[in-house]
Amino acid sequence: MNLDILLQQVAFIHEIDKLKYIQRKTRLFNSDRRENDAEHSWHLAVMAITLAEHSNEPIDILKVLKMLLIHDLVEIDSGDVFLYDTIVNHDNTEAERKAAERIFGLLPAKQAKEFVAIWEEFETGDTAEAMFAHSMDRFEPILQNVSNQGGTWTEHNVPYDTVMDKTSKIQHGSKTIWDFTETLIDDSVLKGYIKKPDQE
Amino acid sequence: MNLDILLQQVAFIHEIDKLKYIQRKTRLFNSDRRENDAEHSWHLAVMAITLAEHSNEPIDILKVLKMLLIHDLVEIDSGDVFLYDTIVNHDNTEAERKAAERIFGLLPAKQAKEFVAIWEEFETGDTAEAMFAHSMDRFEPILQNVSNQGGTWTEHNVPYDTVMDKTSKIQHGSKTIWDFTETLIDDSVLKGYIKKPDQE
């Protein structure tokens, strides 16, 4: 029955509205206002269609979009984990897995399975699509931080090596974007937004 | 040069952040908080991948996603026009055209042309993809209004005929979703959220 399927899908559409309340650490461009996960997911999706040509490998851009649109939904239950958090691991946790089962489980079974698989592929991160999607996820906060006099780097005093460790994954998705990112990071060091060990 | 292209794309990515400040009339589900255009665009995109099977016609879902992700960008310059506004027309206006030229014009020329064409196809609204995208754009505020005791229908005292006139376009994208929407509207009349002429 189409209606039964539709009702399950509408329950999912209703539930995911909560993503609009999940606050990230990063702030909007040139702004004090924190970004929420729904805004973030939208921005990454537009970035992906805009920057697709810079992917290292040919990618199925539709799959990248699906990943980016749903990648943070688990945070409705498990909350946003700050990229530079030194205690909580950002990777696929048991809490996130349970959240995926609950939230995608609102959908009809076949679709739930499909969405969980897309989310898992993003989390595992080893396909061309997942690597490009991760590049977008790392690149946006860099642009935001640069526009906010260092943003979360300055606020949380994130050391240079940690910034490099977390952001250098961009190169797996796009060497072009990573080359550009390195110039932004170098410039942020010069401006004092990011401290190198010998500067501390 | 890849870098020149990338710099233009980054300028666009920076500019479109402003979509997060454009407030809509509709409010989040079960909430007083108004939705912004970025959140709205994200929600419609997830709705499209969730509900694609209900499209009347086979659709290129990637094109639908591109439409939904960028359809409101012109509102950065021209502002949100309320669907039920009785003075300002919701359709493609001169102000929106100028906005499209300015905002998409930040991109490299070839890409700007592609994005403008997608936006125009959405605005014209006569392809299967545009009709399905419009169904999403009309369906989301209905779900929100139902969850908010009538929401904008009640706040702005929108008459039944106007609600039907504006929302019935959903059937061009999906008869299944329109059939369901009619039950929601009927129920909203029963609950007094929408007034029929003989009830006034």
Side-chain angles (χ1 to χ4, degrees), chain A residues 4-69:
Chain A
D4 289 345
I5 287 173
L6 182 57
L7 285 175
Q8 288 176 286
Q9 290 163 333
V10 166
F12 173 75
I13 288 164
H14 198 298
E15 178 67 18
I16 66 172
D17 196 65
K18 294 175 185 167
L19 198 68
K20 299 167 190 169
Y21 296 97
I22 310 294
Q23 298 295 309
R24 291 168 50 79
K25 289 278 185 293
T26 42
R27 296 168 197 275
L28 303 191
F29 287 71
N30 307 106
S31 173
D32 283 340
R33 208 260 272 165
R34 285 198 174 162
E35 187 179 40
N36 68 54
D37 269 349
E39 296 168 326
H40 166 68
S41 301
W42 166 78
H43 215 147
L44 299 192
V46 183
M47 286 172 66
I49 55 173
T50 305
L51 301 173
E53 69 186 281
H54 305 296
S55 171
N56 294 338
E57 295 177 52
I59 42 172
D60 171 356
I61 188 68
L62 175 58
K63 190 188 266 187
V64 173
L65 288 180
K66 287 180 178 177
M67 283 180 182
L68 291 173
L69 289 168

Side-chain angles (χ1 to χ4, degrees), chain B residues 1-35:
Chain B
M1 283 292 297
N2 266 352
L3 184 62
D4 289 346
I5 287 172
L6 183 57
L7 285 174
Q8 288 177 284
Q9 290 163 333
V10 166
F12 172 76
I13 288 164
H14 198 297
E15 178 66 19
I16 66 171
D17 195 65
K18 295 177 183 165
L19 199 68
K20 299 167 190 170
Y21 297 97
I22 310 293
Q23 298 294 310
R24 290 168 50 79
K25 289 279 186 291
T26 41
R27 296 167 197 278
L28 304 190
F29 287 71
N30 308 106
S31 172
D32 282 340
R33 209 260 274 166
R34 286 198 173 161
E35 189 179 38

Side-chain angles (χ1 to χ4, degrees), chain B residues 62-74:
Chain B
L62 176 58
K63 189 188 268 186
V64 172
L65 288 180
K66 288 181 177 177
M67 283 180 183
L68 292 173
L69 290 168
I70 67 167
H71 81 291
D72 271 342
L73 284 177
V74 294

